[in-house]
Amino acid sequence: MTSMLYPTTNPSASEQMIVSRGDGPYIYDRAGKRYLEGMAGLWCTSLGYGNEEIIEVATQQMRELSFSHMFGGKTHDSAMQLADKLASMVPLANARVFLGNSGSDANDTVVKLVRYHASATGRPDRVKIIARDKGYHGVSLASASLTGLPPNHAHFQLPFDALGIVRAGSPHYYRNANPGESEAEFVARRANELEAQILAEGPDTIAAMVAEPVSGAGGVLIPPAGHYPAIQAVLDRYGIALWDDEVICGFGRLGKDFGANAMDMKPDMMVFAKALSSAYVPVSAAVISGEFAEAIEGAASDMGVFGHGYTYSGHPLGCAVAHKVLEIYERDRIFEHAETVGAYLQSRLQEFASHPLVGEVSGMGMIGALELVANRAEKTPFEGMVVGAFCAKAAESAGLIVRPLGGNRVALCPPLIIEREHVDEIIDKLTIALNATLDFVTRENLLK
Ligand SMILES: Cc1ncc(COP(=O)(O)O)c(C=O)c1O
């Protein structure tokens, strides 16, 4: 046991696994055992490990300019290049980019931009934010309040009311549909519920709705077809902005450039981190439409400074690396690759649909999850998180990293650079893990 206090870990737990190095889609532990990184770290190492081009750019940038801040309009080339590159890629007209270090801080930035915008447009009461059950948006006080997962709320007395959080239902059909309800009916019900919530709160008090195109940490929950157009129609009716959290779904994860394009969303603002730099260094971006930015800029001379920024906003290292990563995505057609190999991954994952432990196979592009259940016909959940955790441990023994999530879901989110043979390796190892888990639940009498 070292002096570490580990993040998102039971404080009484000690070291679980010591990772020593990475190479392509693989990591190695201290004993030299190799694992296929089926979770791309924490949904982030899209280009895998040890990419020499990125290492070279990082080294060069540190030699040239290791730090420069951005307060008061002081700037530098690598930040401006990154902002322009990102703005040219996103589906937002005349996009403007605010740089940070993590998904959590980028979402906090949007909370502040929304509030600043409300003041700038003379509607200071229009600050409430709709956020969904099972959504994950980070762990800072504001972003944890947007997050809709109880373990990230417990014991923290989060400022839900002060931030005006309005909690909407999750779009997870498998768990949230009423008996006999079709997907289309579920889509319509969620849209109607959203409208009822907006009317109950007062449409003029709500600024934005935040949503991940596909909720990752909530369990890889794929909304049914037509979900976002139905939601968007409601938001548009009341002039409520759609804030698209692309921290996992951005940059090819769903088999398209952005989750918004994969899921038919028309966002007003977008948030990026993780794959923005393929996690080589921490960097994030809150990106807003030109229209939203202009409303702020118009009033800014009367409002004084936008008093928000991090020492490391636009850190030269993060910017240089992210710019290179975006270039590689385009040059090597990584999004198209993710679409092709992702289609193969999804077809192979479907083989688990008939496994006696699997209630739902969900997935799209290069992300997926299996929900393990005690009774498939009844969708009976297992208690606690033991079964998913057992399965993830069994996968680890077989040399595959997957991630157990709440509700005994086991998630996969491999680096986008994997090939078909890596998909086969994932499926083989996951099969071993699932069968070991079936033996375990049978032995422990956990099936219902
Ligand atoms: C969708 C989403 N948004 C925000 C975050 C928070 O990012 P970070 O952990 O970099 O603060 C995450 C992290 O997993 C995420 O998945």
Side-chain angles (χ1 to χ4, degrees), residues 17 27-35 395-400:
M17 180 183 192
I27 57 166
Y28 296 78
D29 68 16
R30 203 187 246 178
K33 179 172 170 178
R34 187 174 88 153
Y35 305 84
E396 191 180 299
S397 302
L400 170 70

Side-chain angles (χ1 to χ4, degrees), residues 241-290:
L242 179 58
W243 159 3
D244 170 16
D245 184 337
E246 294 265 348
V247 168
I248 288 180
C249 298
F251 307 113
R253 180 54 60 191
L254 302 185
K256 294 271 178 283
D257 49 1
F258 298 109
N261 288 335
M263 300 304 293
D264 212 357
M265 298 165 83
K266 307 265 175 294
D268 300 286
M269 52 266 266
M270 302 170 88
V271 165
F272 301 97
K274 296 190 190 276
L276 174 56
S277 63
S278 188
Y280 274 78
V281 287
V283 58
S284 69
V287 187
I288 55 175
S289 68

Side-chain angles (χ1 to χ4, degrees), residues 42-43 101-107 135-140 143 147 211-217 245-249 271 273-274 283-284 403:
L42 275 176
W43 332 80
N101 320 291
S102 71
S104 300
D105 75 42
N107 277 318
Y136 186 86
H137 304 288
V139 294
S140 59
S143 63
T147 290
E212 298 159 85
V214 165
S215 294
D245 184 337
E246 294 265 348
V247 168
I248 288 180
C249 298
V271 165
K274 296 190 190 276
V283 58
S284 69
R403 186 164 152 83

Side-chain angles (χ1 to χ4, degrees), residues 129-165:
I129 297 163
I130 302 167
R132 297 186 302 198
D133 188 31
K134 297 273 169 64
Y136 186 86
H137 304 288
V139 294
S140 59
L141 287 176
S143 63
S145 305
L146 302 173
T147 290
L149 295 169
N152 298 109
H153 298 164
H155 318 299
F156 296 137
Q157 304 179 32
L158 294 174
F160 299 114
D161 292 340
L163 289 170
I165 306 293

